[in-house]
């Protein structure tokens, strides 16, 4: 009863379904380019090239330090923005987003995409893309001579001079992937806010919910009947025997002038007793007098 009451207390209808449809359209227009940008960057189209370009200008560490670590048997540490984690993680969450977009559309058409489901789902997506954003904008402090305390240079600086023209296109793609990650976080957060607004119960919903809650008397009447004692059948008190019915009492009254036998059974009728039958219109004036004659 409590679980059912709590379930009915959660609103299941969207206050602004047109806004939700608009968010679906915007998500489709952003998710597909995001999947394309993340997929192009995988596995390592321009990550190492941008890392090397930044080291030429002293903006970050040098990727050759990984080779030195291998040669000298030292612990190998990839700076977070230059590791393979952001590239692989972005592809995974982009594919997941496209799949969830199709599922959400089907659920919305079939009227099972409730606000509570949307709130939980988009809270998870916001967290996933926040991790991606943190990985793309991570710092590089592996080289004390060339520290990078903030985001990589392709985010904080222009892709023009003094950057090598051969790397300019990769720089712009990396900027675009970072920007589209911010757009997706904003979009999924908007989903989350709209879901919370729809989850807030209105006055009409509270009134309809209160009408579903039965009072204490109906709750007492609706308790399980399997464990209750069934009422005794008339005539069975003190042991199982033939019950006394109104018809039995009538026969006893006619036969023995109101004296009911102790066994509760109707007496056997004497075949010689002359009991007149009821008069019927088809019988005329004749009356049945018994087995001996008319």
């Amino acid at each position: 009863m409590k679980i059912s009451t709590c379930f009915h207390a959660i609103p299941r209808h969207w206050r602004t379904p047109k806004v939700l449809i608009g968010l679906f359209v915007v998500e489709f227009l952003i998710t597909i380019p995001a999947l394309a940008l993340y997929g192009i960057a995988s596995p390592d189209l321009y990550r190492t090239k941008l890392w090397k370009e930044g080291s030429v200008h002293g903006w970050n560490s040098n990727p050759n330090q990984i080779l030195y670590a291998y040669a000298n048997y030292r612990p190998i540490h990839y700076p977070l923005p230059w590791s393979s984690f952001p590239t692989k993680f972005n592809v995974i969450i982009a594919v997941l987003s496209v799949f969830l977009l199709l599922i959400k559309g089907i659920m919305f058409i079939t009227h099972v995409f409730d606000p509570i489901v949307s709130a939980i789902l988009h809270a998870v997506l916001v967290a996933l893309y926040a991790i991606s954003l943190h990985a793309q904008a991570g710092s590089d402090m592996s080289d004390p001579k060339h520290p990078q305390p903030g985001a990589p240079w392709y985010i904080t600086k222009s892709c023009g001079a003094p950057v090598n023209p051969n790397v300019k296109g990769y720089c712009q793609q990396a900027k675009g992937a970072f920007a589209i990650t911010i757009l997706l976080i904003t979009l999924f957060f908007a989903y989350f806010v709209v879901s919370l607004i729809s989850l807030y119960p209105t006055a009409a919903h509270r009134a309809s919910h209160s009408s579903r809650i039965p009072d204490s008397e109906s709750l007492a009447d609706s308790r399980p009947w399997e464990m209750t004692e069934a009422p005794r059948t008339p005539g069975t008190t003190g042991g199982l025997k033939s019950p006394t019915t109104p018809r039995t009492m009538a026969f006893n009254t006619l036969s023995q002038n109101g004296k009911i036998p102790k066994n509760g059974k109707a007496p056997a009728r004497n075949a010689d007793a002359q009991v007149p039958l009821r008069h019927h219109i088809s019988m005329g004036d004749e009356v049945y007098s018994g087995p001996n004659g008319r």
Side-chain angles (χ1 to χ4, degrees), residues 6-16 113-121 191-203 205-206:
C6 295
F7 177 76
H8 287 296
I10 301 175
R12 302 185 60 187
H13 300 285
W14 293 92
R15 292 190 186 182
T16 54
F113 189 57
D114 298 340
I116 184 64
V117 177
S118 174
I120 297 173
L121 176 63
Y191 269 114
F192 182 73
V193 172
V194 172
S195 302
L196 292 182
I197 293 174
S198 297
L199 282 174
Y200 185 78
T202 60
H205 178 78
R206 288 193 294 266

Side-chain angles (χ1 to χ4, degrees), residues 111-155:
H111 304 285
V112 293
F113 189 57
D114 298 340
I116 184 64
V117 177
S118 174
I120 297 173
L121 176 63
H122 292 104
V124 174
L125 288 174
V126 168
L128 291 177
Y129 278 93
I131 295 173
S132 172
L133 189 69
H134 171 72
Q136 294 180 58
S139 60
D140 178 11
M141 305 298 291
S142 60
D143 188 356
K145 296 181 180 180
H146 303 93
Q148 176 200 308
W153 66 268
Y154 61 84
I155 297 176

Side-chain angles (χ1 to χ4, degrees), residues 4-71:
S4 178
T5 303
C6 295
F7 177 76
H8 287 296
I10 301 175
R12 302 185 60 187
H13 300 285
W14 293 92
R15 292 190 186 182
T16 54
K18 293 183 179 180
V19 174
L20 188 64
I21 295 175
L23 290 176
F24 282 151
V25 175
V26 174
E27 182 180 358
F28 176 79
L29 296 178
I30 297 178
T31 305
I32 301 303
L35 179 61
L37 285 174
Y38 295 156
I40 290 173
S42 179
D44 186 10
L45 177 63
Y46 52 74
R47 184 180 66 251
T48 303
K49 295 178 181 179
L50 296 177
W51 188 6
K52 185 178 296 184
E53 181 67 20
S55 67
V56 171
H57 301 282
W59 296 332
N60 49 246
S61 61
N62 196 313
N64 292 332
Q65 66 184 3
I66 304 300
L67 298 177
Y68 297 150
Y70 274 116

Side-chain angles (χ1 to χ4, degrees), residues 261-283:
K262 294 182 180 180
N263 58 5
K265 297 182 179 180
R269 193 181 69 176
N270 187 1
D272 297 333
Q274 296 181 1
V275 180
L277 296 177
R278 292 183 179 180
H279 179 73
H280 193 269
I281 189 172
S282 62
M283 297 174 62

Side-chain angles (χ1 to χ4, degrees), residues 149-174:
W153 66 268
Y154 61 84
I155 297 176
T156 59
K157 302 181 183 301
S158 173
C159 295
V163 178
N164 189 342
N166 296 329
V167 187
K168 182 179 179 179
Y170 299 139
C171 175
Q172 292 174 346
Q173 290 184 30

